[in-house]
Amino acid sequence: MALTDYVTLGHSGLRVSPFCLGAMTFGEDWGWGSSVPESETIMSRYMERGGNFIDTANVYTKGHSEKIIGDFLGRAHHKRDRAVIATKFFGNLYPGDPNGGGAGRKAIVSSCEQSLRRLQTDYIDLYWMHCWDRFTPIEETMRALDDLVAAGKVRYIGLSDTPAWKVAQAQTIARFRGWAPLVALQIEYSLLERTVEGELIPMALEMGLGVTPWSPLKSGVLSGKYTRENAATVTADRGERVTAALGEKVYTIIDELARIAKEAGATPASVALAWVQGRPGVASTIIGARRLDQLEQNLAALDITLNADQIARLDKLSKPTLSFPMQFLNVASMFSHGGATVNGEKSSIWPLAPKDAAERY
């Protein structure tokens, strides 16, 4: 696979690269991240390789991330024309202003105008709601987004970090009212965060949403940097988000990643990324890089094809405990299929079922 093996995003005609370049670390305004020259070098290399999908947000590095992208693409319009720029609203850049963020119409329209200015473009290719705003009716959010699409300021829309039931509600409202539909869902997804397989992933498949996982390496936990041997000596740039994730189960997964990486002649990070990109429903995985060498290492995952045994080993070790009713539904076929095989899924016979016709009332 290569960056130029484009995929359509969800139920849309938008073609994007299988790896999306995440720009949360563009700018050093948070005390860590990539300098402006390094950010431009990373973008340049990504696009030279054929990548076309860049993801940011209005609040990343206090708005500087969007400006860095705008300055880079604004100097060469042919680059902007072939780029798919995704950014987000919801985050508040105005302390004390209750309408400075969220998903109400006032905040959405204002955030869009500001993002367009920083990105130095007339339109946003994919506009995400960054998180669910439980204080705003979802129909208000969807209608405001539909207006932006109708005005030509936004091409496609998606939701990020929102419960499955709310995404389904939003998509259903949009379909019945003839508004611009959602085409994508951005969620955390990795070997260490698989609970999304309970409802979010099945919902995305049913509703025609392309999934774009964020933090596929769990903030670097799965990068290969952290091992049992160096646990006491290696410090994490992102602090507790990394250290809180480390534990016996995680080290077991990291050990298996290392073994598979050795088998494949790759790095643990590449194996972890290849696993995510191969999951059902995943369209384009968001990769982050603060240095050019990190970008190259992440892109190397496109050269890896995990075999069935390797996938099964990782699946077994990382198997999540899903919320009700998903765990219960895993055995539902036992008392619905009567021991038959349906759509390739075998079932056992429910022990409490009648043994023969004579036992049925």
Side-chain angles (χ1 to χ4, degrees):
M1 182 181 292
L3 274 177
T4 50
D5 289 330
Y6 305 108
V7 297
T8 50
L9 189 59
H11 190 61
S12 81
L14 182 63
R15 281 78 161 165
V16 297
S17 297
F19 276 1
C20 171
L21 180 60
M24 189 177 77
T25 58
F26 285 5
E28 301 170 295
D29 307 74
W30 286 340
W32 50 272
S34 307
S35 65
V36 172
E38 189 73 22
S39 299
E40 292 186 343
T41 298
I42 290 170
M43 281 189 286
S44 180
R45 180 57 179 152
Y46 174 75
M47 297 187 76
E48 285 173 5
R49 291 277 299 268
N52 73 338
F53 194 12
I54 301 176
D55 181 81
T56 186
N58 67 324
V59 292
Y60 288 170
T61 53
K62 306 175 184 178
H64 196 191
S65 174
E66 286 187 328
K67 187 176 185 304
I68 290 172
I69 294 169
D71 289 342
F72 177 74
L73 296 176
R75 292 197 292 264
H77 292 295
H78 68 282
K79 290 184 178 180
R80 197 289 165 247
D81 291 341
R82 73 174 299 272
V84 175
I85 299 177
T87 193
K88 309 176 190 74
F89 65 91
F90 181 87
N92 197 325
L93 290 168
Y94 300 91
D97 179 3
N99 291 305
R105 177 178 288 271
K106 179 177 174 63
I108 291 174
V109 174
S110 178
S111 295
C112 182
E113 296 292 348
Q114 293 165 22
S115 289
L116 290 170
R117 173 179 55 81
R118 285 189 290 265
L119 289 167
Q120 299 177 44
T121 184
D122 297 325
Y123 65 95
I124 294 165
D125 293 289
L126 176 59
Y127 205 30
W128 300 101
M129 179 174 76
H130 208 152
C131 299
W132 173 39
D133 181 358
R134 58 191 178 90
F135 298 106
T136 300
I138 195 64
E139 56 267 32
E140 177 180 339
T141 300
M142 294 302 290
R143 182 54 197 272
L145 290 171
D146 180 68
D147 287 345
L148 290 176
V149 172
K153 295 182 179 181
V154 170
R155 297 290 194 258
Y156 298 91
I157 60 174
L159 299 186
S160 173
D161 304 332
T162 298
W165 64 270
K166 181 56 67 172
V167 180
Q169 181 189 33
Q171 186 74 316
T172 302
I173 290 172
R175 285 176 174 173
F176 276 108
R177 298 189 181 181
W179 297 345
L182 301 166
V183 303
L185 176 72
Q186 187 172 147
I187 50 177
E188 183 178 1
Y189 194 14
S190 72
L191 282 163
L192 300 185
E193 177 47 81
R194 292 184 56 190
T195 59
V196 294
E197 294 174 8
E199 299 205 22
L200 283 161
I201 295 292
M203 179 277 301
L205 289 167
E206 186 73 17
M207 291 289 174
L209 308 180
V211 176
T212 65
W214 60 265
S215 198
L217 297 180
K218 194 66 174 181
S219 297
V221 175
L222 299 172
S223 66
K225 176 180 179 181
Y226 306 98
T227 64
R228 296 174 187 275
E229 291 72 27
N230 66 17
T233 58
V234 174
T235 57
D237 294 334
R238 297 193 185 184
E240 189 176 352
R241 178 168 170 78
V242 172
T243 55
L246 296 173
E248 180 57 33
K249 181 178 179 179
V250 173
Y251 283 129
T252 300
I253 294 173
I254 291 173
D255 290 343
E256 191 62 40
L257 278 175
R259 281 190 287 270
I260 294 174
K262 187 175 181 180
E263 294 168 8
T267 65
S270 294
V271 173
L273 289 172
W275 179 89
V276 172
Q277 186 59 25
R279 304 305 288 178
V282 171
S284 181
T285 299
I286 300 172
I287 59 171
R290 281 191 283 168
R291 302 188 310 271
L292 184 60
D293 65 302
Q294 291 178 335
L295 173 67
E296 298 287 5
Q297 291 168 15
N298 287 340
L299 293 181
L302 293 170
D303 300 324
I304 298 174
T305 300
L306 300 177
N307 61 42
D309 173 68
Q310 292 167 336
I311 294 172
R313 286 150 57 188
L314 291 173
D315 286 355
K316 181 178 180 180
L317 289 175
S318 62
K319 184 178 180 180
T321 298
L322 303 178
S323 59
F324 183 86
M326 303 314 295
Q327 294 287 119
F328 176 73
L329 293 178
N330 285 333
V331 298
S333 60
M334 176 177 64
F335 51 87
S336 68
H337 295 167
T341 297
V342 179
N343 289 338
E345 181 180 298
K346 297 180 179 180
S347 68
S348 56
I349 297 178
W350 187 31
L352 301 180
K355 299 296 187 297
D356 53 47
E359 291 188 2
R360 293 197 299 271
Y361 287 92

